[in-house]
Amino acid sequence: MNDEFSRLLLEWYKINARSLPWRGHPDPYAVWVSEIMLQQTRVETVLPYFQRWMLLFPSISALAAANEQEVLKAWEGLGYYSRARSLHKAAQLMAERYGGSLPSDPTLLLKLPGIGPYTAAAIASIAFGLDEAVVDGNVKRVLARVLDYRAPVNTPAAEKELRTIARSLLPEGKAGDYNQALMDLGATVCTPRSPACSRCPVTSLCAAFQDHLQEQLPVVSEKPAIPHYRVTAAILRRGGRVLIAHRPDNGLLGGMWEFPGGKLEPGETDAAALVRELQEELGITVTVGEQLGTYRHVYTHFRVTLHAYYTSADGQEPQALEASELRWVSLDELEDFPMGKIDRMISRDLLAKG
Ligand code: SF4
């Protein structure tokens, strides 16, 4: 099975590999950037970001020399902003320690910010040809179907077991193509729903195909429903400028800019939440006025509905009690500051309303 599986897979990959800009790229830097961007994000979403990123920061040294705001701005809209900050920090460490190059040793890669076992194995195999197996959601699905693997695949134990299996199937010296072939097969043929078995190169070896179990595998243990938060934000104005706050580096949307506000507590109205939040965050007591709009966004682990209100502070001076910095900026300047999805929607509404 081992040799036959990888042989069929690699033959199929020679003809059917997806054409992606980081493939066949001589620079391991491009492989690293693409792997970080692809974490939790679809290939189609990543493509324009990757192209723009490589123009803005064509090398590890260029990325290391950029400032964090430029890096976050280039990442704006991709989500999981800690990935961008980690890329930036890792580039600075590589500039210091490795002369601006990626180390090929997975144990050294693992010591860099933002690089876990999956990414280290992907970089080591794809960029440096080392025999490391990669297991992502696509690979898990293909292996579970081919091998009739019945345990839930979304557990750390299954992840470990499937990595060992993937490693045992790996053809020596061809790990880069083998890993990418498995990922491509999962993404384009062995899809979650209605896999295209008639186009699959490994039907002769696939237990799920033979037993008509494609739709039952892989088994996934149920995830709890994600919570929904109601949030408010304040538009504070001063002479044609609005107030934005810089979030601290750690945590969700770290390093991004936002309109001040926060989550409602149980039983609170929007206005009461806004008064409390601005007292806590800015040390001011505000009057809440007309509503600017309602904004919705789904993050991986929760959903948010945000109501934004024009708010006045009667000449009180806001202080950065929780933010790392506050700025009064004109509506035209808002676009220069990196923001998450909802704050960008608010800033564009403000600009449209003038
Ligand atoms: Fe997936 Fe069907 Fe191929 Fe099996 S035969 S690996 S179920 S596409």
Side-chain angles (χ1 to χ4, degrees):
M1 152 91 175
N2 295 15
D3 292 353
E4 186 63 357
F5 180 73
S6 56
R7 188 185 67 74
L8 292 170
L9 197 60
L10 288 172
E11 260 177 27
W12 172 84
Y13 184 67
K14 259 191 226 156
I15 301 162
N16 295 285
R18 287 178 292 177
S19 160
L20 300 170
W22 47 85
R23 288 203 170 150
H25 209 290
D27 187 356
Y29 169 59
V31 174
W32 171 44
V33 171
S34 70
E35 286 298 333
I36 300 291
M37 286 189 169
L38 287 165
Q39 290 168 4
Q40 319 257 15
T41 314
R42 296 169 60 81
V43 167
E44 303 72 48
T45 308
V46 163
L47 286 171
Y49 280 91
F50 175 82
Q51 312 268 28
R52 204 167 48 238
W53 185 277
M54 296 307 284
L55 289 174
L56 286 169
F57 316 116
S59 63
I60 291 174
S61 335
L63 178 57
N67 74 46
E68 188 178 274
Q69 293 297 288
E70 291 172 300
V71 172
L72 288 172
K73 186 66 199 158
W75 199 271
E76 187 179 304
L78 256 189
Y80 301 100
Y81 295 92
S82 61
R83 294 183 294 173
R85 291 200 314 277
S86 294
L87 266 173
H88 190 212
K89 279 193 203 114
Q92 290 171 335
L93 286 172
M94 287 182 221
E96 259 172 56
R97 292 184 195 161
Y98 307 118
S101 300
L102 268 169
S104 58
D105 181 344
T107 55
L108 294 180
L109 287 168
L110 275 169
K111 291 188 179 151
L112 293 165
I115 299 187
Y118 169 85
T119 309
I123 295 169
S125 62
I126 299 169
F128 298 111
L130 302 186
D131 285 337
E132 296 285 336
V134 166
V135 173
D136 69 353
N138 288 319
V139 174
K140 282 188 205 169
R141 186 168 56 255
V142 173
L143 292 180
R145 285 174 173 165
V146 169
L147 302 169
D148 193 9
Y149 184 87
R150 299 282 176 101
V153 294
N154 55 337
T155 66
E159 176 101 31
K160 204 171 159 202
E161 196 176 352
L162 289 168
R163 190 173 304 119
T164 307
I165 294 171
R167 178 74 184 78
S168 72
L169 297 172
L170 194 146
E172 232 172 90
K174 293 179 184 160
D177 280 356
Y178 165 80
N179 285 331
Q180 293 181 94
L182 260 180
M183 291 191 248
D184 277 18
L185 188 73
T188 62
V189 176
C190 193
T191 48
R193 302 265 160 274
S194 313
C197 300
S198 59
R199 290 195 283 117
C200 179
V202 295
T203 41
S204 59
L205 301 172
C206 179
F209 174 74
Q210 278 145 30
D211 298 337
H212 308 288
L213 289 172
Q214 297 95 318
E215 297 291 346
Q216 278 78 55
L217 292 171
V219 175
V220 179
S221 60
E222 244 174 62
K223 291 185 193 157
I226 61 170
H228 176 211
Y229 299 123
R230 187 170 168 126
V231 180
T232 55
I235 314 302
L236 277 160
R237 291 175 289 186
R238 178 183 280 177
R241 292 172 177 265
V242 291
L243 185 77
I244 54 173
H246 193 210
R247 292 175 73 99
D249 271 354
N250 47 354
L252 182 77
L253 298 172
M256 307 294 275
W257 291 81
E258 67 175 7
F259 295 91
K263 238 189 269 176
L264 268 71
E265 296 200 338
E268 238 179 1
T269 61
D270 287 354
L274 214 41
V275 169
R276 176 182 52 74
E277 285 285 349
L278 269 62
Q279 186 69 57
E280 290 167 9
E281 283 180 29
L282 308 175
I284 55 175
T285 305
V286 294
T287 308
V288 178
E290 194 192 329
Q291 184 169 350
L292 168 72
T294 298
Y295 307 88
R296 294 184 176 83
H297 187 55
V298 181
Y299 296 89
T300 315
H301 303 296
F302 57 92
R303 290 185 296 130
V304 165
T305 301
L306 181 147
H307 301 274
Y309 294 87
Y310 292 105
T311 306
S312 71
D314 289 332
Q316 301 162 77
E317 191 57 42
Q319 305 154 54
L321 301 179
E322 291 182 0
S324 57
E325 190 186 346
L326 299 176
R327 292 244 190 124
W328 291 98
V329 299
S330 71
L331 299 185
D332 291 335
E333 286 167 328
L334 281 171
E335 201 61 41
D336 300 337
F337 292 83
M339 290 182 170
K341 278 256 163 64
I342 287 188
D343 290 281
R344 180 57 67 215
M345 286 189 253
I346 298 175
S347 87
R348 290 194 176 147
D349 265 6
L350 282 170
L351 196 55
K353 290 187 178 173

